[in-house]
Amino acid sequence: MRRLSLPYRQPPADTVRADDWMLVVDEEQVPLPSHLPDWDYRMNLHLRRTVEIDADALRAAAALPPNAPVALTVVWTASGSGLRASACRVPVKATERDFIDLEVRIAGADLGGLLALETVIVLDDRMVDGSPVAARRAGSVLWRERRELRLQGDAPQFPLAVVDFERTSFPNDAGWHLQISSNLSAATMGAMLLLINERNSVALSAFQNAAKPRAVDKAVLSSIYMDVARTMIEHALRSEEFSDTAEYDDDTLGATLLALVDQLFPGSSINDLRLRMESAPTHFASEIQAAVRVFGDD
């Protein structure tokens, strides 16, 4: 395993003690899990943690003067959206010990895929004079900790919107509708949109409660995810250009559909799946239902 060697002294790990990240839901705090299977793009994330820093020991071990400007910052990166941003930045006091309460809020619309949270202690300003073994440039990393959160479970995820179906061409009593482009080379984020009917209180409540779903919400979300997966698979198989030899750029609709097919039907060829759908469409729909594990315990 290769280890990055920095050209300046870093403090030992025991100069910093970071509590676990906590997920705040309805003002209740729960330990941040490794994944949120019921997450959707309307769910904003609210996170908290406390970091204890032995400020004197940290600066001394890094060969920095007692008043060296040091800051604690949190940077997040979302693979689904490709976005990266600083969530907060707090100066580390020039005291023996500093307890810093971190509070991070990230809009769900900016997220997707794998969320990486990096808690970092950096030199907050350029050091003109100082030890030759000490960090000098602003932004030099003195301590780093990374935590990952998977925001996409087994079901496909993409942007959604709540609309009044009475103002659309969709049936007034329908709960949802998936809009999907025929252009498989288009970016997934712009090629699919899940519409939720605001008049359907059951479907709407399920998404509103996605962070802390009730039993009924879990059942509704499972039904929606299964129906969305079926729509996506059948949409892909009806496209003549969709095949095992097709190549699509990352983050395109074609790549997303290929990944979904591989996930739900590993080892099956596109041609075989297409024949199964065409010869026995209702049976194939049940195969998708089983592959998605609708109402499953996981």
Side-chain angles (χ1 to χ4, degrees):
M1 179 178 176
R2 299 180 63 184
R3 184 175 179 179
L4 179 63
S5 179
L6 296 172
Y8 52 83
R9 186 176 296 174
Q10 287 185 293
D14 60 7
T15 58
V16 182
R17 188 187 67 81
D19 291 346
D20 293 336
W21 279 109
M22 303 296 288
L23 177 66
V24 183
V25 181
D26 295 333
E27 292 308 315
E28 293 184 11
Q29 296 188 163
V30 296
L32 186 67
S34 60
H35 69 286
L36 292 176
D38 296 318
W39 177 85
D40 68 77
Y41 284 88
R42 295 187 64 217
M43 178 183 172
N44 301 327
L45 291 186
H46 182 190
L47 308 169
R48 289 176 182 157
R49 82 182 311 184
T50 298
V51 179
E52 177 187 355
I53 304 172
D54 188 339
D56 287 345
L58 181 140
R59 288 183 173 91
L64 293 170
N67 61 346
V70 175
L72 178 66
T73 183
V74 177
V75 178
W76 61 267
T77 306
S79 65
S81 63
L83 296 178
R84 177 183 174 87
S86 174
C88 61
R89 191 182 190 92
V90 183
V92 177
K93 298 176 182 177
T95 57
E96 182 177 347
R97 287 190 178 272
D98 194 4
F99 292 83
I100 299 178
D101 294 323
L102 297 176
E103 188 139 2
V104 172
R105 296 176 186 268
I106 312 175
D110 293 335
L111 299 176
L114 188 69
L115 172 66
L117 292 165
E118 285 191 304
T119 307
V120 187
I121 297 178
V122 298
L123 186 64
D124 207 26
D125 199 359
R126 185 171 182 269
M127 297 293 295
V128 178
D129 300 318
S131 170
V133 299
R136 292 175 176 269
R137 295 182 177 179
S140 296
V141 176
L142 303 176
W143 177 87
R144 185 197 304 268
E145 184 248 30
R146 180 185 174 95
R147 175 68 196 276
E148 294 182 345
L149 172 65
R150 183 162 57 87
L151 295 174
Q152 295 176 324
D154 293 335
Q157 299 281 347
F158 33 81
L160 61 85
V162 177
V163 298
D164 184 351
F165 275 25
E166 188 174 13
R167 300 180 180 181
T168 70
S169 59
F170 310 127
N172 292 348
D173 295 330
W176 61 88
H177 174 80
L178 177 65
Q179 291 184 330
I180 183 167
S181 172
S182 60
N183 182 5
L184 302 186
S185 297
T188 302
M189 292 293 288
M192 293 195 297
L193 179 65
L194 180 61
L195 301 175
I196 306 299
N197 187 1
E198 67 177 23
R199 292 175 176 268
N200 191 303
S201 59
V202 175
L204 182 59
S205 295
F207 280 97
Q208 291 175 332
N209 299 329
K212 195 176 181 181
R214 303 164 298 174
V216 64
D217 299 322
K218 291 181 179 179
V220 173
L221 291 172
S222 183
S223 297
I224 295 175
Y225 291 159
M226 183 275 295
D227 183 64
V228 166
R230 179 188 59 78
T231 301
M232 292 173 65
I233 294 290
E234 292 178 352
H235 178 81
L237 296 178
R238 291 192 183 100
S239 173
E240 294 182 359
E241 70 172 274
F242 190 75
S243 67
D244 291 307
T245 58
E247 295 184 1
Y248 301 100
D249 293 336
D250 293 341
D251 300 321
T252 61
L253 178 59
T256 299
L257 294 174
L258 280 174
L260 181 61
V261 169
D262 289 341
Q263 176 184 321
L264 298 184
F265 297 101
S268 297
S269 69
I270 300 299
N271 188 55
D272 176 55
L273 293 175
R274 184 175 284 119
L275 290 174
R276 282 151 64 180
M277 182 187 73
E278 293 175 347
S279 61
T282 56
H283 187 279
F284 185 68
S286 296
E287 287 189 60
I288 296 175
Q289 183 183 124
V292 172
R293 299 187 74 250
V294 64
F295 308 135
D297 294 332
D298 296 338

